[in-house]
Amino acid sequence: MRESVRRARLLLEDAAPLSYDCGELCAKACCLPDEEGKGGVWLLPGEEQALAGEDWARILPGDIPMLMCQGPCSRALRPFFCRLFPLMGVRRAGSWQVRMDRRARPLCPLARSGTRGLNPAFVEAAGQAVALVGEDPVCAPILMEWARLEKRFSPGALWEAAHGED
Protein backbone atom coordinates (compact mmCIF):
# COMPACT_ATOMS: atom_id res chain seq x y z
CA MET A 1 0.00 0.00 0.00
CA ARG A 2 1.28 3.47 -0.81
CA GLU A 3 2.62 5.31 2.23
CA SER A 4 0.23 8.25 1.70
CA VAL A 5 -2.75 5.88 1.66
CA ARG A 6 -1.56 4.00 4.74
CA ARG A 7 -1.06 7.24 6.69
CA ALA A 8 -4.37 8.71 5.52
CA ARG A 9 -6.22 5.56 6.57
CA LEU A 10 -4.55 5.72 9.98
CA LEU A 11 -5.68 9.31 10.46
CA LEU A 12 -9.27 8.17 9.92
CA GLU A 13 -9.06 4.86 11.77
CA ASP A 14 -10.43 6.19 15.06
CA ALA A 15 -12.10 9.34 13.74
CA ALA A 16 -15.80 8.99 13.01
CA PRO A 17 -18.53 11.40 11.90
CA LEU A 18 -20.29 11.09 15.28
CA SER A 19 -19.28 9.94 18.75
CA TYR A 20 -21.42 6.81 18.23
CA ASP A 21 -22.07 4.51 15.27
CA CYS A 22 -23.80 6.77 12.77
CA GLY A 23 -25.02 3.63 10.96
CA GLU A 24 -27.65 3.37 13.69
CA LEU A 25 -29.36 6.43 12.15
CA CYS A 26 -29.70 5.05 8.64
CA ALA A 27 -29.45 1.25 8.98
CA LYS A 28 -25.92 1.45 7.49
CA ALA A 29 -27.24 2.76 4.17
CA CYS A 30 -23.76 3.66 2.91
CA CYS A 31 -22.74 -0.01 3.21
CA LEU A 32 -25.60 -1.32 1.07
CA PRO A 33 -25.98 -1.53 -2.71
CA ASP A 34 -28.79 0.43 -4.33
CA GLU A 35 -32.02 -1.16 -5.54
CA GLU A 36 -30.28 -2.23 -8.76
CA GLY A 37 -27.52 -3.97 -6.82
CA LYS A 38 -25.05 -1.23 -7.76
CA GLY A 39 -23.01 1.11 -5.70
CA GLY A 40 -19.68 0.79 -4.09
CA VAL A 41 -16.56 2.70 -3.31
CA TRP A 42 -13.36 3.18 -5.24
CA LEU A 43 -10.14 1.79 -3.87
CA LEU A 44 -6.86 3.65 -3.71
CA PRO A 45 -3.61 1.96 -4.77
CA GLY A 46 -2.80 -0.92 -2.44
CA GLU A 47 -6.24 -1.22 -0.86
CA GLU A 48 -7.31 -3.91 -3.32
CA GLN A 49 -4.48 -6.17 -2.18
CA ALA A 50 -5.16 -5.41 1.49
CA LEU A 51 -8.80 -6.51 1.08
CA ALA A 52 -8.20 -9.58 -1.09
CA GLY A 53 -9.80 -12.63 0.48
CA GLU A 54 -12.17 -10.73 2.80
CA ASP A 55 -15.58 -12.42 2.58
CA TRP A 56 -17.45 -9.13 3.08
CA ALA A 57 -15.61 -7.42 0.21
CA ARG A 58 -16.34 -8.07 -3.45
CA ILE A 59 -13.79 -6.22 -5.57
CA LEU A 60 -14.64 -5.25 -9.12
CA PRO A 61 -11.52 -4.80 -11.23
CA GLY A 62 -10.98 -1.75 -13.39
CA ASP A 63 -8.72 1.23 -13.94
CA ILE A 64 -9.86 2.18 -10.45
CA PRO A 65 -10.98 -0.96 -8.60
CA MET A 66 -14.29 -0.74 -6.74
CA LEU A 67 -15.34 -2.44 -3.53
CA MET A 68 -18.89 -3.70 -3.16
CA CYS A 69 -19.86 -4.39 0.46
CA GLN A 70 -21.34 -7.79 1.13
CA GLY A 71 -21.77 -7.57 4.86
CA PRO A 72 -20.36 -5.96 7.98
CA CYS A 73 -16.67 -5.18 8.17
CA SER A 74 -14.06 -4.27 10.69
CA ARG A 75 -13.43 -0.51 10.88
CA ALA A 76 -9.69 -1.23 10.61
CA LEU A 77 -10.20 -2.75 7.15
CA ARG A 78 -12.45 -0.11 5.62
CA PRO A 79 -11.15 1.58 2.48
CA PHE A 80 -10.18 5.23 2.51
CA PHE A 81 -13.34 6.48 0.79
CA CYS A 82 -15.55 4.57 3.28
CA ARG A 83 -13.66 6.16 6.16
CA LEU A 84 -14.07 9.60 4.58
CA PHE A 85 -17.82 9.36 3.92
CA PRO A 86 -19.98 11.49 4.04
CA LEU A 87 -17.18 13.91 3.20
CA MET A 88 -15.16 14.20 0.04
CA GLY A 89 -11.98 15.92 -1.03
CA VAL A 90 -12.04 19.06 -3.16
CA ARG A 91 -9.21 21.17 -4.50
CA ARG A 92 -9.70 24.89 -3.72
CA ALA A 93 -7.20 27.69 -4.07
CA GLY A 94 -4.38 25.21 -4.61
CA SER A 95 -4.99 23.04 -1.57
CA TRP A 96 -7.08 19.99 -0.75
CA GLN A 97 -10.03 20.46 1.61
CA VAL A 98 -13.12 18.49 2.59
CA ARG A 99 -16.80 19.21 2.25
CA MET A 100 -20.02 17.23 2.33
CA ASP A 101 -20.39 14.86 -0.62
CA ARG A 102 -23.59 15.72 -2.55
CA ARG A 103 -24.17 12.02 -3.19
CA ALA A 104 -24.62 11.52 0.56
CA ARG A 105 -27.80 13.62 0.72
CA PRO A 106 -30.32 10.93 -0.30
CA LEU A 107 -28.99 8.30 2.09
CA CYS A 108 -27.06 9.93 4.92
CA PRO A 109 -29.04 11.88 7.53
CA LEU A 110 -25.80 13.65 8.52
CA ALA A 111 -25.50 15.31 5.10
CA ARG A 112 -28.33 17.75 5.84
CA SER A 113 -26.32 19.44 8.61
CA GLY A 114 -23.17 19.86 6.57
CA THR A 115 -19.80 19.65 8.28
CA ARG A 116 -21.18 21.63 11.26
CA GLY A 117 -23.16 18.56 12.29
CA LEU A 118 -20.12 16.28 12.31
CA ASN A 119 -17.59 15.55 15.01
CA PRO A 120 -14.98 18.35 14.57
CA ALA A 121 -12.13 15.87 15.18
CA PHE A 122 -13.43 13.79 12.26
CA VAL A 123 -13.59 16.81 9.95
CA GLU A 124 -10.04 17.78 10.93
CA ALA A 125 -8.68 14.24 10.44
CA ALA A 126 -10.52 13.96 7.11
CA GLY A 127 -8.96 17.21 5.91
CA GLN A 128 -5.48 16.00 6.85
CA ALA A 129 -6.09 12.61 5.23
CA VAL A 130 -7.35 14.15 1.98
CA ALA A 131 -4.34 16.48 1.89
CA LEU A 132 -1.97 13.50 2.26
CA VAL A 133 -3.64 11.52 -0.50
CA GLY A 134 -4.10 14.61 -2.67
CA GLU A 135 -0.37 15.36 -2.66
CA ASP A 136 0.48 11.84 -3.86
CA PRO A 137 0.96 12.01 -7.64
CA VAL A 138 -0.59 8.56 -8.11
CA CYS A 139 -3.61 9.18 -5.86
CA ALA A 140 -4.38 12.82 -6.70
CA PRO A 141 -5.90 11.96 -10.11
CA ILE A 142 -8.27 9.52 -8.38
CA LEU A 143 -9.42 12.22 -5.95
CA MET A 144 -9.85 14.62 -8.87
CA GLU A 145 -11.94 12.10 -10.81
CA TRP A 146 -14.05 11.39 -7.69
CA ALA A 147 -14.72 15.14 -7.38
CA ARG A 148 -15.47 15.44 -11.11
CA LEU A 149 -18.08 12.69 -10.91
CA GLU A 150 -19.60 14.21 -7.79
CA LYS A 151 -20.15 17.52 -9.65
CA ARG A 152 -22.80 15.73 -11.73
CA PHE A 153 -24.95 15.88 -8.58
CA SER A 154 -24.80 19.65 -8.18
CA PRO A 155 -28.22 21.36 -8.36
CA GLY A 156 -27.37 22.95 -11.72
CA ALA A 157 -26.19 19.68 -13.24
CA LEU A 158 -29.27 17.82 -12.00
CA TRP A 159 -31.57 20.50 -13.41
CA GLU A 160 -29.71 20.40 -16.71
CA ALA A 161 -29.97 16.60 -16.87
CA ALA A 162 -33.72 16.77 -16.18
CA HIS A 163 -34.54 19.66 -18.53
CA GLY A 164 -31.79 19.77 -21.13
CA GLU A 165 -30.50 22.91 -22.76
CA ASP A 166 -32.91 25.14 -24.62
Side-chain angles (χ1 to χ4, degrees), residues 84-89 98-101 115 118 122-123 126 146:
L84 187 62
F85 192 81
L87 300 177
M88 65 166 296
V98 291
R99 69 163 169 76
M100 197 59 71
D101 188 324
T115 57
L118 302 177
F122 170 71
V123 176
W146 189 257

Side-chain angles (χ1 to χ4, degrees), residues 2 7 29-30 46 50 53 56 70 75 77 87 91 112 125 129 131:
R2 295 185 68 78
R7 289 177 49 213
C30 59
W56 58 271
Q70 306 216 319
R75 183 169 195 82
L77 293 174
L87 300 177
R91 188 123 172 109
R112 292 176 196 98

Side-chain angles (χ1 to χ4, degrees), residues 26-81:
C26 64
K28 301 185 186 317
C30 59
C31 296
L32 301 171
D34 64 17
E35 55 278 349
E36 296 174 3
K38 296 179 181 176
V41 65
W42 284 355
L43 299 174
L44 291 175
E47 289 185 312
E48 181 178 8
Q49 293 78 13
L51 295 169
E54 293 293 330
D55 60 352
W56 58 271
R58 188 173 112 218
I59 299 173
L60 305 177
D63 291 337
I64 303 172
M66 180 178 277
L67 173 120
M68 303 286 287
C69 291
Q70 306 216 319
C73 68
S74 161
R75 183 169 195 82
L77 293 174
R78 288 183 187 156
F80 174 77
F81 285 112

Side-chain angles (χ1 to χ4, degrees), residues 125-148:
Q128 292 174 12
V130 163
L132 270 172
V133 171
E135 297 308 317
D136 183 314
V138 173
C139 297
I142 297 169
L143 277 182
M144 292 166 104
E145 181 63 11
W146 189 257
R148 188 188 69 75

